[in-house]
Amino acid sequence: MQGAGIFDGDLAVVDRSIEPAHGHVVVALLNNEPLCKRLCVSGREVILLSENPKYPPRYILEGDELTIWGIVTSTVRNHV
């Protein structure tokens, strides 16, 4: 999620009270795999987008199990 300013080792602050919407950076569980991705919703289509070009978008398909744990509202980075 480097394009969103989230780097390896950062701590993410996640708010579970915010309703997930298009464009939010979310912490999700997809088929029992935890992910941090940007949520893209277009009609009935749901896509989890990476902000790092090394990783392709993940289209949510019929039969996938997706649970949004919360919305990333900020991050904390250790500079030591």
Side-chain angles (χ1 to χ4, degrees):
M1 294 299 294
Q2 294 174 355
I6 304 171
F7 296 90
D8 189 32
D10 286 359
L11 297 175
V13 177
V14 177
D15 189 335
R16 297 192 68 192
S17 70
I18 299 172
E19 187 71 28
H22 175 78
H24 283 156
V25 174
V26 299
V27 174
L29 187 66
L30 177 60
N31 300 327
N32 292 318
E33 179 184 353
L35 302 168
C36 181
K37 302 284 185 186
R38 187 166 306 274
L39 181 64
C40 178
V41 180
S42 178
R44 294 177 47 90
E45 184 175 57
V46 177
I47 308 166
L48 296 176
L49 301 172
S50 177
E51 294 284 340
N52 184 332
K54 292 181 183 179
Y55 300 98
R58 177 54 165 91
Y59 290 81
I60 307 306
L61 305 172
E62 186 176 332
D64 281 338
E65 292 184 35
L66 175 66
T67 302
I68 305 294
W69 282 347
I71 308 306
V72 177
T73 57
S74 58
T75 58
V76 178
R77 184 169 303 129
N78 189 351
H79 294 279
V80 179

